[in-house]
Amino acid sequence: MPGIGIPPLADNLPPILKRNYGKWLSHEHPRPGVIKHDSETGEACFTVRAGMPPNARVSTHTLRALCDLADEFAGGYFRVTQRNSCEFVGVPEPRIDELIARLAQMGFPVGGTNRSLHNTVCCTGYLHCHLAATDPAAIMKAVSEMLLKEFQNDCLPAKLKISGSGCINNCGEGSTADIGVVGVHRDLPPSKEDKLKGCELPLVISVCPVGAIKPKGPGMIEIDAQRCIHCPACSVACAAMAPIGSPDGDGVAIVVGGKAANTGRGPALAKVVVPYLPNNPPYWPEVTSTIRKVVDAWSAHARKDERVGDWIGRIGWQKFYERAGLPLSFKVVDGYDARSLDYAKSNVRFNW
Ligand code: SF4
Ligand code: SF4
């Protein structure tokens, strides 16, 4: 009886992975972008990794070209990693240089392994989300270009993950990246009160995570500007709420020090270190220069295998700001919690 749900993995595995299932002993990185896995059977499996466009969006034309390479170099198998890199698994060692050259001809840089920038990831943002305060895919492209050397070379203290989200809902998981770029709204959500009048008790009140929406007479609401954290939850929950956001109000926050892995000091949520930078396409110079400062300070001062958050945990937030040359303002300390033993704001919710 065929299984239900997604197709079975066994039908999509390269033969070398089937032969060595559960028998892998170790792995190493013979060169940037190449991983070698050794099995107890004596087989070695070479994988070549290349960066895909932000949000893993490729045309079928591009995908066919990548699949043609997979047919030619990897036995007809192709993988997209969790960080939106593409992988060619089981490449014969003598053909690795040729595959890397062919990928370069197509504009796909090989890298993103070991102590390097792993491919940037982001949510869909402006591409088709109506809640976005910024364009995380375009920002990740600008960041990737700025850090191309760090993607293609094992030149960092540890792996570096940079992620982007279009708003504080954080679908792009900026909060668990070493460096996160998070879109922020600063306006109050506009309401179309004529539409609200049809509701006896406007249910939009219940979606606000901080209780900022209150009834103001029959079928009317008011929003507490001091409580509103400019999340866009109410904008989507009720037809009477217009989309939040404006060119002057929207922008980007930079969060630093997140990690999902249980290594080093353990998992951690990133903290806000720069609460607002303007949307400035196409290259977001304020965003890229801020990230450059953080990467350079970490590269210069961290120990080997010390992720960004682990480094900050060792030196403290005050020294982090000094070494990164970033200004410390009340907007990044107003989430102070004496129990947390540090003072950078611990979430991306703040009042303007
Ligand atoms: S983080 Fe915000 S902008 Fe990005 S997909 Fe989620 S809701 Fe949309
Ligand atoms: S934007 Fe978010 S915090 Fe502000 S009123 Fe709407 S739901 Fe509440």
PDB file of all heavy atoms in Angstrom, residues 199-237:
ATOM      1  N   CYS A 199     -20.281  45.948  13.701  1.00  0.00           N
ATOM      2  CA  CYS A 199     -19.995  44.927  14.710  1.00  0.00           C
ATOM      3  C   CYS A 199     -20.544  45.360  16.059  1.00  0.00           C
ATOM      4  O   CYS A 199     -20.289  46.478  16.510  1.00  0.00           O
ATOM      5  CB  CYS A 199     -18.495  44.728  14.870  1.00  0.00           C
ATOM      6  SG  CYS A 199     -17.646  44.438  13.323  1.00  0.00           S
ATOM      7  N   GLU A 200     -21.229  44.415  16.701  1.00  0.00           N
ATOM      8  CA  GLU A 200     -21.702  44.727  18.043  1.00  0.00           C
ATOM      9  C   GLU A 200     -20.519  44.764  19.010  1.00  0.00           C
ATOM     10  O   GLU A 200     -20.351  45.672  19.801  1.00  0.00           O
ATOM     11  CB  GLU A 200     -22.706  43.662  18.481  1.00  0.00           C
ATOM     12  CG  GLU A 200     -23.465  44.044  19.729  1.00  0.00           C
ATOM     13  CD  GLU A 200     -24.530  43.012  20.028  1.00  0.00           C
ATOM     14  OE1 GLU A 200     -25.098  42.434  19.081  1.00  0.00           O
ATOM     15  OE2 GLU A 200     -24.775  42.772  21.201  1.00  0.00           O
ATOM     16  N   LEU A 201     -19.660  43.736  18.889  1.00  0.00           N
ATOM     17  CA  LEU A 201     -18.433  43.699  19.685  1.00  0.00           C
ATOM     18  C   LEU A 201     -17.290  43.400  18.719  1.00  0.00           C
ATOM     19  O   LEU A 201     -17.121  42.265  18.293  1.00  0.00           O
ATOM     20  CB  LEU A 201     -18.513  42.603  20.754  1.00  0.00           C
ATOM     21  CG  LEU A 201     -17.254  42.429  21.604  1.00  0.00           C
ATOM     22  CD1 LEU A 201     -16.959  43.699  22.394  1.00  0.00           C
ATOM     23  CD2 LEU A 201     -17.396  41.239  22.520  1.00  0.00           C
ATOM     24  N   PRO A 202     -16.508  44.378  18.331  1.00  0.00           N
ATOM     25  CA  PRO A 202     -15.463  44.135  17.328  1.00  0.00           C
ATOM     26  C   PRO A 202     -14.481  43.056  17.785  1.00  0.00           C
ATOM     27  O   PRO A 202     -13.789  43.217  18.789  1.00  0.00           O
ATOM     28  CB  PRO A 202     -14.772  45.497  17.202  1.00  0.00           C
ATOM     29  CG  PRO A 202     -15.782  46.482  17.678  1.00  0.00           C
ATOM     30  CD  PRO A 202     -16.558  45.776  18.753  1.00  0.00           C
ATOM     31  N   LEU A 203     -14.446  41.940  17.040  1.00  0.00           N
ATOM     32  CA  LEU A 203     -13.592  40.819  17.430  1.00  0.00           C
ATOM     33  C   LEU A 203     -12.115  41.126  17.237  1.00  0.00           C
ATOM     34  O   LEU A 203     -11.257  40.423  17.746  1.00  0.00           O
ATOM     35  CB  LEU A 203     -13.978  39.573  16.629  1.00  0.00           C
ATOM     36  CG  LEU A 203     -15.345  38.996  16.988  1.00  0.00           C
ATOM     37  CD1 LEU A 203     -15.653  37.798  16.116  1.00  0.00           C
ATOM     38  CD2 LEU A 203     -15.384  38.596  18.455  1.00  0.00           C
ATOM     39  N   VAL A 204     -11.831  42.199  16.486  1.00  0.00           N
ATOM     40  CA  VAL A 204     -10.433  42.553  16.274  1.00  0.00           C
ATOM     41  C   VAL A 204      -9.729  42.815  17.607  1.00  0.00           C
ATOM     42  O   VAL A 204      -8.517  42.668  17.724  1.00  0.00           O
ATOM     43  CB  VAL A 204     -10.335  43.780  15.329  1.00  0.00           C
ATOM     44  CG1 VAL A 204     -10.834  45.045  16.009  1.00  0.00           C
ATOM     45  CG2 VAL A 204      -8.922  43.973  14.818  1.00  0.00           C
ATOM     46  N   ILE A 205     -10.510  43.154  18.618  1.00  0.00           N
ATOM     47  CA  ILE A 205      -9.933  43.400  19.951  1.00  0.00           C
ATOM     48  C   ILE A 205      -9.157  42.184  20.435  1.00  0.00           C
ATOM     49  O   ILE A 205      -8.097  42.303  21.048  1.00  0.00           O
ATOM     50  CB  ILE A 205     -11.064  43.743  20.945  1.00  0.00           C
ATOM     51  CG1 ILE A 205     -11.655  45.106  20.599  1.00  0.00           C
ATOM     52  CG2 ILE A 205     -10.580  43.706  22.386  1.00  0.00           C
ATOM     53  CD1 ILE A 205     -12.943  45.425  21.345  1.00  0.00           C
ATOM     54  N   SER A 206      -9.669  40.995  20.109  1.00  0.00           N
ATOM     55  CA  SER A 206      -9.074  39.781  20.676  1.00  0.00           C
ATOM     56  C   SER A 206      -7.759  39.395  20.008  1.00  0.00           C
ATOM     57  O   SER A 206      -7.022  38.573  20.546  1.00  0.00           O
ATOM     58  CB  SER A 206     -10.061  38.614  20.568  1.00  0.00           C
ATOM     59  OG  SER A 206     -10.290  38.315  19.206  1.00  0.00           O
ATOM     60  N   VAL A 207      -7.449  39.939  18.838  1.00  0.00           N
ATOM     61  CA  VAL A 207      -6.214  39.492  18.167  1.00  0.00           C
ATOM     62  C   VAL A 207      -4.991  40.270  18.632  1.00  0.00           C
ATOM     63  O   VAL A 207      -3.864  39.873  18.364  1.00  0.00           O
ATOM     64  CB  VAL A 207      -6.304  39.607  16.628  1.00  0.00           C
ATOM     65  CG1 VAL A 207      -7.491  38.848  16.090  1.00  0.00           C
ATOM     66  CG2 VAL A 207      -6.321  41.055  16.168  1.00  0.00           C
ATOM     67  N   CYS A 208      -5.198  41.375  19.308  1.00  0.00           N
ATOM     68  CA  CYS A 208      -4.044  42.192  19.689  1.00  0.00           C
ATOM     69  C   CYS A 208      -3.256  41.493  20.799  1.00  0.00           C
ATOM     70  O   CYS A 208      -3.797  41.198  21.859  1.00  0.00           O
ATOM     71  CB  CYS A 208      -4.494  43.570  20.159  1.00  0.00           C
ATOM     72  SG  CYS A 208      -3.095  44.594  20.655  1.00  0.00           S
ATOM     73  N   PRO A 209      -1.973  41.226  20.579  1.00  0.00           N
ATOM     74  CA  PRO A 209      -1.205  40.469  21.582  1.00  0.00           C
ATOM     75  C   PRO A 209      -0.906  41.260  22.844  1.00  0.00           C
ATOM     76  O   PRO A 209      -0.497  40.681  23.849  1.00  0.00           O
ATOM     77  CB  PRO A 209       0.096  40.124  20.837  1.00  0.00           C
ATOM     78  CG  PRO A 209       0.230  41.166  19.786  1.00  0.00           C
ATOM     79  CD  PRO A 209      -1.161  41.540  19.390  1.00  0.00           C
ATOM     80  N   VAL A 210      -1.090  42.583  22.806  1.00  0.00           N
ATOM     81  CA  VAL A 210      -0.750  43.381  23.993  1.00  0.00           C
ATOM     82  C   VAL A 210      -1.950  44.149  24.538  1.00  0.00           C
ATOM     83  O   VAL A 210      -1.799  45.042  25.368  1.00  0.00           O
ATOM     84  CB  VAL A 210       0.402  44.369  23.669  1.00  0.00           C
ATOM     85  CG1 VAL A 210       1.696  43.615  23.409  1.00  0.00           C
ATOM     86  CG2 VAL A 210       0.059  45.251  22.480  1.00  0.00           C
ATOM     87  N   GLY A 211      -3.140  43.806  24.076  1.00  0.00           N
ATOM     88  CA  GLY A 211      -4.340  44.453  24.602  1.00  0.00           C
ATOM     89  C   GLY A 211      -4.406  45.938  24.307  1.00  0.00           C
ATOM     90  O   GLY A 211      -4.903  46.723  25.128  1.00  0.00           O
ATOM     91  N   ALA A 212      -3.926  46.344  23.134  1.00  0.00           N
ATOM     92  CA  ALA A 212      -3.908  47.777  22.814  1.00  0.00           C
ATOM     93  C   ALA A 212      -5.207  48.256  22.183  1.00  0.00           C
ATOM     94  O   ALA A 212      -5.406  49.456  22.032  1.00  0.00           O
ATOM     95  CB  ALA A 212      -2.743  48.079  21.863  1.00  0.00           C
ATOM     96  N   ILE A 213      -6.099  47.314  21.798  1.00  0.00           N
ATOM     97  CA  ILE A 213      -7.353  47.716  21.160  1.00  0.00           C
ATOM     98  C   ILE A 213      -8.474  47.591  22.182  1.00  0.00           C
ATOM     99  O   ILE A 213      -8.657  46.535  22.795  1.00  0.00           O
ATOM    100  CB  ILE A 213      -7.651  46.833  19.929  1.00  0.00           C
ATOM    101  CG1 ILE A 213      -6.436  46.805  18.989  1.00  0.00           C
ATOM    102  CG2 ILE A 213      -8.880  47.342  19.193  1.00  0.00           C
ATOM    103  CD1 ILE A 213      -6.602  45.884  17.797  1.00  0.00           C
ATOM    104  N   LYS A 214      -9.199  48.681  22.357  1.00  0.00           N
ATOM    105  CA  LYS A 214     -10.255  48.677  23.377  1.00  0.00           C
ATOM    106  C   LYS A 214     -11.565  49.134  22.743  1.00  0.00           C
ATOM    107  O   LYS A 214     -11.561  49.932  21.789  1.00  0.00           O
ATOM    108  CB  LYS A 214      -9.879  49.626  24.512  1.00  0.00           C
ATOM    109  CG  LYS A 214      -8.583  49.238  25.201  1.00  0.00           C
ATOM    110  CD  LYS A 214      -8.438  49.959  26.534  1.00  0.00           C
ATOM    111  CE  LYS A 214      -7.232  49.422  27.276  1.00  0.00           C
ATOM    112  NZ  LYS A 214      -6.017  50.142  27.029  1.00  0.00           N
ATOM    113  N   PRO A 215     -12.700  48.666  23.272  1.00  0.00           N
ATOM    114  CA  PRO A 215     -13.980  49.157  22.755  1.00  0.00           C
ATOM    115  C   PRO A 215     -14.176  50.633  23.097  1.00  0.00           C
ATOM    116  O   PRO A 215     -13.726  51.106  24.145  1.00  0.00           O
ATOM    117  CB  PRO A 215     -15.020  48.282  23.464  1.00  0.00           C
ATOM    118  CG  PRO A 215     -14.314  47.592  24.559  1.00  0.00           C
ATOM    119  CD  PRO A 215     -12.852  47.673  24.333  1.00  0.00           C
ATOM    120  N   LYS A 216     -14.804  51.345  22.180  1.00  0.00           N
ATOM    121  CA  LYS A 216     -15.058  52.780  22.414  1.00  0.00           C
ATOM    122  C   LYS A 216     -16.515  53.061  22.053  1.00  0.00           C
ATOM    123  O   LYS A 216     -16.797  53.736  21.095  1.00  0.00           O
ATOM    124  CB  LYS A 216     -14.126  53.615  21.537  1.00  0.00           C
ATOM    125  CG  LYS A 216     -14.097  55.100  21.863  1.00  0.00           C
ATOM    126  CD  LYS A 216     -13.158  55.845  20.929  1.00  0.00           C
ATOM    127  CE  LYS A 216     -13.833  56.256  19.650  1.00  0.00           C
ATOM    128  NZ  LYS A 216     -12.995  57.017  18.733  1.00  0.00           N
ATOM    129  N   GLY A 217     -17.391  52.447  22.744  1.00  0.00           N
ATOM    130  CA  GLY A 217     -18.800  52.578  22.406  1.00  0.00           C
ATOM    131  C   GLY A 217     -19.213  51.470  21.457  1.00  0.00           C
ATOM    132  O   GLY A 217     -18.375  50.705  20.989  1.00  0.00           O
ATOM    133  N   PRO A 218     -20.515  51.366  21.145  1.00  0.00           N
ATOM    134  CA  PRO A 218     -21.027  50.269  20.315  1.00  0.00           C
ATOM    135  C   PRO A 218     -20.356  50.242  18.946  1.00  0.00           C
ATOM    136  O   PRO A 218     -20.377  51.233  18.217  1.00  0.00           O
ATOM    137  CB  PRO A 218     -22.519  50.586  20.189  1.00  0.00           C
ATOM    138  CG  PRO A 218     -22.814  51.527  21.312  1.00  0.00           C
ATOM    139  CD  PRO A 218     -21.555  52.285  21.577  1.00  0.00           C
ATOM    140  N   GLY A 219     -19.723  49.101  18.633  1.00  0.00           N
ATOM    141  CA  GLY A 219     -19.131  48.922  17.318  1.00  0.00           C
ATOM    142  C   GLY A 219     -17.962  49.839  17.029  1.00  0.00           C
ATOM    143  O   GLY A 219     -17.594  50.043  15.873  1.00  0.00           O
ATOM    144  N   MET A 220     -17.366  50.401  18.039  1.00  0.00           N
ATOM    145  CA  MET A 220     -16.236  51.313  17.820  1.00  0.00           C
ATOM    146  C   MET A 220     -15.037  50.831  18.645  1.00  0.00           C
ATOM    147  O   MET A 220     -15.190  50.169  19.661  1.00  0.00           O
ATOM    148  CB  MET A 220     -16.610  52.739  18.263  1.00  0.00           C
ATOM    149  CG  MET A 220     -17.813  53.314  17.545  1.00  0.00           C
ATOM    150  SD  MET A 220     -17.420  53.742  15.855  1.00  0.00           S
ATOM    151  CE  MET A 220     -16.490  55.241  16.113  1.00  0.00           C
ATOM    152  N   ILE A 221     -13.861  51.188  18.189  1.00  0.00           N
ATOM    153  CA  ILE A 221     -12.653  50.833  18.946  1.00  0.00           C
ATOM    154  C   ILE A 221     -11.751  52.053  19.061  1.00  0.00           C
ATOM    155  O   ILE A 221     -11.886  53.021  18.322  1.00  0.00           O
ATOM    156  CB  ILE A 221     -11.847  49.710  18.255  1.00  0.00           C
ATOM    157  CG1 ILE A 221     -11.438  50.150  16.839  1.00  0.00           C
ATOM    158  CG2 ILE A 221     -12.586  48.397  18.253  1.00  0.00           C
ATOM    159  CD1 ILE A 221     -10.319  49.334  16.246  1.00  0.00           C
ATOM    160  N   GLU A 222     -10.809  51.942  19.980  1.00  0.00           N
ATOM    161  CA  GLU A 222      -9.709  52.903  19.994  1.00  0.00           C
ATOM    162  C   GLU A 222      -8.425  52.135  20.261  1.00  0.00           C
ATOM    163  O   GLU A 222      -8.436  51.088  20.914  1.00  0.00           O
ATOM    164  CB  GLU A 222      -9.921  54.006  21.028  1.00  0.00           C
ATOM    165  CG  GLU A 222      -9.867  53.559  22.458  1.00  0.00           C
ATOM    166  CD  GLU A 222     -10.076  54.737  23.404  1.00  0.00           C
ATOM    167  OE1 GLU A 222     -10.025  55.889  22.939  1.00  0.00           O
ATOM    168  OE2 GLU A 222     -10.294  54.488  24.599  1.00  0.00           O
ATOM    169  N   ILE A 223      -7.332  52.657  19.735  1.00  0.00           N
ATOM    170  CA  ILE A 223      -6.040  51.984  19.889  1.00  0.00           C
ATOM    171  C   ILE A 223      -5.166  52.807  20.813  1.00  0.00           C
ATOM    172  O   ILE A 223      -4.995  54.015  20.627  1.00  0.00           O
ATOM    173  CB  ILE A 223      -5.365  51.798  18.517  1.00  0.00           C
ATOM    174  CG1 ILE A 223      -6.196  50.806  17.683  1.00  0.00           C
ATOM    175  CG2 ILE A 223      -3.938  51.280  18.673  1.00  0.00           C
ATOM    176  CD1 ILE A 223      -5.756  50.674  16.263  1.00  0.00           C
ATOM    177  N   ASP A 224      -4.642  52.127  21.822  1.00  0.00           N
ATOM    178  CA  ASP A 224      -3.766  52.777  22.795  1.00  0.00           C
ATOM    179  C   ASP A 224      -2.366  52.895  22.179  1.00  0.00           C
ATOM    180  O   ASP A 224      -1.645  51.899  22.046  1.00  0.00           O
ATOM    181  CB  ASP A 224      -3.739  51.928  24.071  1.00  0.00           C
ATOM    182  CG  ASP A 224      -2.909  52.577  25.174  1.00  0.00           C
ATOM    183  OD1 ASP A 224      -2.078  53.449  24.853  1.00  0.00           O
ATOM    184  OD2 ASP A 224      -3.093  52.202  26.346  1.00  0.00           O
ATOM    185  N   ALA A 225      -2.002  54.110  21.818  1.00  0.00           N
ATOM    186  CA  ALA A 225      -0.726  54.319  21.127  1.00  0.00           C
ATOM    187  C   ALA A 225       0.464  53.937  21.996  1.00  0.00           C
ATOM    188  O   ALA A 225       1.532  53.592  21.485  1.00  0.00           O
ATOM    189  CB  ALA A 225      -0.605  55.778  20.688  1.00  0.00           C
ATOM    190  N   GLN A 226       0.307  54.006  23.311  1.00  0.00           N
ATOM    191  CA  GLN A 226       1.421  53.657  24.198  1.00  0.00           C
ATOM    192  C   GLN A 226       1.642  52.154  24.274  1.00  0.00           C
ATOM    193  O   GLN A 226       2.734  51.684  24.543  1.00  0.00           O
ATOM    194  CB  GLN A 226       1.162  54.204  25.607  1.00  0.00           C
ATOM    195  CG  GLN A 226       1.218  55.716  25.687  1.00  0.00           C
ATOM    196  CD  GLN A 226       2.543  56.269  25.158  1.00  0.00           C
ATOM    197  OE1 GLN A 226       3.612  55.820  25.557  1.00  0.00           O
ATOM    198  NE2 GLN A 226       2.455  57.220  24.238  1.00  0.00           N
ATOM    199  N   ARG A 227       0.560  51.401  24.049  1.00  0.00           N
ATOM    200  CA  ARG A 227       0.685  49.939  24.160  1.00  0.00           C
ATOM    201  C   ARG A 227       0.997  49.283  22.824  1.00  0.00           C
ATOM    202  O   ARG A 227       1.633  48.238  22.785  1.00  0.00           O
ATOM    203  CB  ARG A 227      -0.622  49.342  24.699  1.00  0.00           C
ATOM    204  CG  ARG A 227      -0.947  49.767  26.107  1.00  0.00           C
ATOM    205  CD  ARG A 227      -2.108  48.959  26.626  1.00  0.00           C
ATOM    206  NE  ARG A 227      -1.646  47.672  27.116  1.00  0.00           N
ATOM    207  CZ  ARG A 227      -2.038  47.135  28.255  1.00  0.00           C
ATOM    208  NH1 ARG A 227      -2.907  47.756  29.000  1.00  0.00           N
ATOM    209  NH2 ARG A 227      -1.587  45.974  28.633  1.00  0.00           N
ATOM    210  N   CYS A 228       0.509  49.852  21.734  1.00  0.00           N
ATOM    211  CA  CYS A 228       0.640  49.207  20.424  1.00  0.00           C
ATOM    212  C   CYS A 228       2.113  48.964  20.100  1.00  0.00           C
ATOM    213  O   CYS A 228       2.954  49.851  20.249  1.00  0.00           O
ATOM    214  CB  CYS A 228       0.009  50.090  19.352  1.00  0.00           C
ATOM    215  SG  CYS A 228       0.253  49.457  17.681  1.00  0.00           S
ATOM    216  N   ILE A 229       2.419  47.751  19.676  1.00  0.00           N
ATOM    217  CA  ILE A 229       3.798  47.417  19.311  1.00  0.00           C
ATOM    218  C   ILE A 229       3.957  47.346  17.796  1.00  0.00           C
ATOM    219  O   ILE A 229       4.953  46.837  17.287  1.00  0.00           O
ATOM    220  CB  ILE A 229       4.233  46.095  19.958  1.00  0.00           C
ATOM    221  CG1 ILE A 229       3.271  44.975  19.571  1.00  0.00           C
ATOM    222  CG2 ILE A 229       4.350  46.240  21.473  1.00  0.00           C
ATOM    223  CD1 ILE A 229       3.748  43.592  19.968  1.00  0.00           C
ATOM    224  N   HIS A 230       2.929  47.802  17.066  1.00  0.00           N
ATOM    225  CA  HIS A 230       3.015  47.915  15.607  1.00  0.00           C
ATOM    226  C   HIS A 230       3.205  46.571  14.921  1.00  0.00           C
ATOM    227  O   HIS A 230       3.790  46.493  13.855  1.00  0.00           O
ATOM    228  CB  HIS A 230       4.133  48.891  15.204  1.00  0.00           C
ATOM    229  CG  HIS A 230       4.146  50.132  16.034  1.00  0.00           C
ATOM    230  ND1 HIS A 230       3.330  51.207  15.773  1.00  0.00           N
ATOM    231  CD2 HIS A 230       4.838  50.450  17.163  1.00  0.00           C
ATOM    232  CE1 HIS A 230       3.529  52.140  16.688  1.00  0.00           C
ATOM    233  NE2 HIS A 230       4.433  51.704  17.546  1.00  0.00           N
ATOM    234  N   CYS A 231       2.750  45.525  15.590  1.00  0.00           N
ATOM    235  CA  CYS A 231       2.712  44.251  14.895  1.00  0.00           C
ATOM    236  C   CYS A 231       1.529  44.377  13.939  1.00  0.00           C
ATOM    237  O   CYS A 231       0.636  45.141  14.194  1.00  0.00           O
ATOM    238  CB  CYS A 231       2.474  43.107  15.871  1.00  0.00           C
ATOM    239  SG  CYS A 231       0.740  42.869  16.288  1.00  0.00           S
ATOM    240  N   PRO A 232       1.504  43.672  12.863  1.00  0.00           N
ATOM    241  CA  PRO A 232       0.377  43.923  11.964  1.00  0.00           C
ATOM    242  C   PRO A 232      -0.809  42.988  12.204  1.00  0.00           C
ATOM    243  O   PRO A 232      -1.652  42.847  11.318  1.00  0.00           O
ATOM    244  CB  PRO A 232       0.999  43.675  10.581  1.00  0.00           C
ATOM    245  CG  PRO A 232       2.412  43.216  10.820  1.00  0.00           C
ATOM    246  CD  PRO A 232       2.546  42.866  12.248  1.00  0.00           C
ATOM    247  N   ALA A 233      -0.911  42.373  13.382  1.00  0.00           N
ATOM    248  CA  ALA A 233      -1.933  41.340  13.569  1.00  0.00           C
ATOM    249  C   ALA A 233      -3.343  41.841  13.278  1.00  0.00           C
ATOM    250  O   ALA A 233      -4.133  41.174  12.614  1.00  0.00           O
ATOM    251  CB  ALA A 233      -1.855  40.782  14.989  1.00  0.00           C
ATOM    252  N   CYS A 234      -3.680  43.046  13.755  1.00  0.00           N
ATOM    253  CA  CYS A 234      -5.051  43.516  13.577  1.00  0.00           C
ATOM    254  C   CYS A 234      -5.335  43.897  12.124  1.00  0.00           C
ATOM    255  O   CYS A 234      -6.476  43.848  11.671  1.00  0.00           O
ATOM    256  CB  CYS A 234      -5.340  44.694  14.502  1.00  0.00           C
ATOM    257  SG  CYS A 234      -4.235  46.098  14.266  1.00  0.00           S
ATOM    258  N   SER A 235      -4.279  44.259  11.390  1.00  0.00           N
ATOM    259  CA  SER A 235      -4.483  44.670   9.999  1.00  0.00           C
ATOM    260  C   SER A 235      -5.058  43.548   9.156  1.00  0.00           C
ATOM    261  O   SER A 235      -5.749  43.792   8.174  1.00  0.00           O
ATOM    262  CB  SER A 235      -3.156  45.114   9.373  1.00  0.00           C
ATOM    263  OG  SER A 235      -2.723  46.307   9.946  1.00  0.00           O
ATOM    264  N   VAL A 236      -4.715  42.310   9.522  1.00  0.00           N
ATOM    265  CA  VAL A 236      -5.192  41.186   8.719  1.00  0.00           C
ATOM    266  C   VAL A 236      -6.430  40.536   9.303  1.00  0.00           C
ATOM    267  O   VAL A 236      -7.111  39.777   8.628  1.00  0.00           O
ATOM    268  CB  VAL A 236      -4.105  40.099   8.572  1.00  0.00           C
ATOM    269  CG1 VAL A 236      -3.045  40.540   7.623  1.00  0.00           C
ATOM    270  CG2 VAL A 236      -3.519  39.717   9.903  1.00  0.00           C
ATOM    271  N   ALA A 237      -6.723  40.837  10.562  1.00  0.00           N
ATOM    272  CA  ALA A 237      -7.804  40.110  11.220  1.00  0.00           C
ATOM    273  C   ALA A 237      -9.173  40.699  10.919  1.00  0.00           C
ATOM    274  O   ALA A 237     -10.186  40.031  11.098  1.00  0.00           O
ATOM    275  CB  ALA A 237      -7.573  40.102  12.731  1.00  0.00           C
TER     276      ALA A 237
END
